[in-house]
Amino acid sequence: MKKDETFKWDDKKFVEFYTDSANVIILERLRLIKILLEIVEFHFPSLSGLNILDLGCGDGIISRHIYDTSPDNSFFLVDASEEMLKKAKTNLSGANATYSHYTFQDYIASRTEYSKYNIVFSANAIHHLDFVEKTELFSKIYNELQFGGLFLNIDPVHPNSAYSEEIQFEIWRSWMNETLAKSGHKDAVGKYDTIPSVYKNNLENKPSSLWDQLEMLGKCGFRDVDCFYKYGIFSLFGGAK
Ligand SMILES: C[S@@+](CC[C@H](N)C(=O)[O-])C[C@H]1O[C@@H](n2cnc3c(N)ncnc32)[C@H](O)[C@@H]1O
């Protein structure tokens, strides 16, 4: 299993920090999840009997949202962190779910199960891959989707210029502070102001430009490729097979 030396998702404290603060430090996370669900329900109105792959599932909270909407689906959850998978198992207890302690690199190298899935999605995880690995991953996902299947990715993307990055990081900081103030934590305003620069300086984060990724999805064969939402660096994009 190949993990970057900066991989911190095995650290219990870091995992607790992420799961406790995700709705504040990831800009419009709940809205992004809501839009992902809306697209899934539009594409699969009955939303049942489907094979659903959650890549970089973390604590499985997005699969849980789908399960709560419609429990009659099979969930496949992949993550490189055992700590996260433990949480996912708890969050999805009762669901028909299979868990794989895999890195994306393991997943890419694994035997391709052609046309296995109806839906593949990922949230805030694929930016841990460089562009070559992203391309390999998109191609693998395409092969493992059935015709008519759907791939959706919620992920931070790389700004087109340093100036644009400055603007988008400021948008990120002000959203976090607005969210803290609105949720009764006025005293905590400013607490997360360093997060954009910590994110930028962490070698584990390798965001690619939105445009490059949309273009690559098209080259891999996806149709109806589009960006469905973007606020600052946080985006939701994907396509159908
Ligand atoms: C920010 S969390 C997102 C978790 C979840 N998808 C969510 O939206 O809450 C990133 C997740 O990606 C996983 N991850 C990071 N690098 C990975 C890799 N190379 N292969 C597989 N999973 C990875 C981490 O273990 C972590 O659970």
Side-chain angles (χ1 to χ4, degrees):
M1 182 191 292
K2 183 183 150 207
K3 284 187 195 176
D4 198 281
E5 62 284 357
T6 57
F7 193 78
K8 55 192 181 309
W9 299 98
D10 284 328
D11 180 65
K12 205 172 171 166
K13 271 199 182 148
F14 182 77
V15 165
E16 292 294 336
F17 164 75
Y18 174 76
T19 51
D20 289 350
S21 59
N23 289 342
V24 180
I25 61 173
I26 295 183
L27 203 155
E28 289 285 22
R29 179 171 186 249
L30 295 176
R31 181 172 302 275
L32 283 155
I33 296 173
K34 181 174 179 288
I35 297 170
L36 183 140
L37 278 169
E38 279 173 1
I39 299 168
V40 162
E41 287 185 274
F42 184 89
H43 198 73
F44 291 104
S46 70
L47 194 54
S48 71
L50 305 177
N51 285 345
I52 302 174
L53 174 62
D54 181 348
L55 285 170
C57 62
D59 64 356
I61 213 68
I62 302 182
S63 286
R64 175 74 213 200
H65 276 272
I66 299 178
Y67 176 72
D68 287 342
T69 307
S70 178
D72 174 29
N73 293 290
S74 301
F75 294 90
F76 298 83
L77 295 98
V78 172
D79 203 285
S81 157
E82 233 163 325
E83 208 47 51
M84 280 296 202
L85 285 171
K86 258 193 245 165
K87 286 181 179 285
K89 284 176 192 169
T90 306
N91 283 332
L92 281 154
S93 61
N96 176 6
T98 307
Y99 303 88
S100 301
H101 182 215
Y102 264 15
T103 62
F104 286 126
Q105 293 82 357
D106 296 331
Y107 168 69
I108 291 165
S110 67
R111 188 177 58 81
T112 299
E113 299 187 81
Y114 290 93
S115 306
K116 176 171 178 179
Y117 302 107
N118 305 94
I119 301 171
V120 178
F121 72 86
S122 180
N124 297 304
I126 292 177
H127 68 278
H128 295 307
L129 301 181
D130 64 30
F131 192 67
V132 171
E133 292 171 319
K134 285 188 187 88
T135 301
E136 290 169 352
L137 182 69
F138 292 166
S139 175
K140 175 88 171 185
I141 291 168
Y142 184 83
N143 286 327
E144 292 209 328
L145 272 174
Q146 292 181 12
F147 280 99
L150 185 66
F151 169 54
L152 292 171
N153 187 23
I154 292 173
D155 220 12
V157 294
H158 194 57
N160 279 338
S161 73
Y163 183 61
S164 165
E165 182 176 79
E166 265 180 56
I167 295 171
Q168 296 189 59
F169 279 5
E170 186 53 29
I171 288 172
W172 186 358
R173 278 187 287 268
S174 63
W175 187 87
M176 289 189 287
N177 287 329
E178 187 188 317
T179 304
L180 284 167
K182 271 192 200 157
S183 58
H185 296 98
K186 275 203 175 115
D187 49 324
V189 166
K191 181 180 175 188
Y192 297 126
D193 278 355
T194 56
I195 284 199
S197 55
V198 170
Y199 157 85
K200 184 178 167 62
N201 293 325
N202 183 348
L203 298 177
E204 200 199 306
N205 297 323
K206 301 161 190 166
S208 303
S209 94
L210 176 61
W211 172 252
D212 289 347
Q213 294 185 81
L214 296 178
E215 196 176 42
M216 188 46 70
L217 286 176
K219 284 188 182 156
C220 289
F222 285 95
R223 64 182 167 83
D224 299 316
V225 171
D226 218 332
C227 174
F228 299 97
Y229 186 79
K230 186 173 186 295
Y231 189 163
I233 61 168
F234 295 91
S235 68
L236 165 53
F237 61 95
K241 175 165 173 179

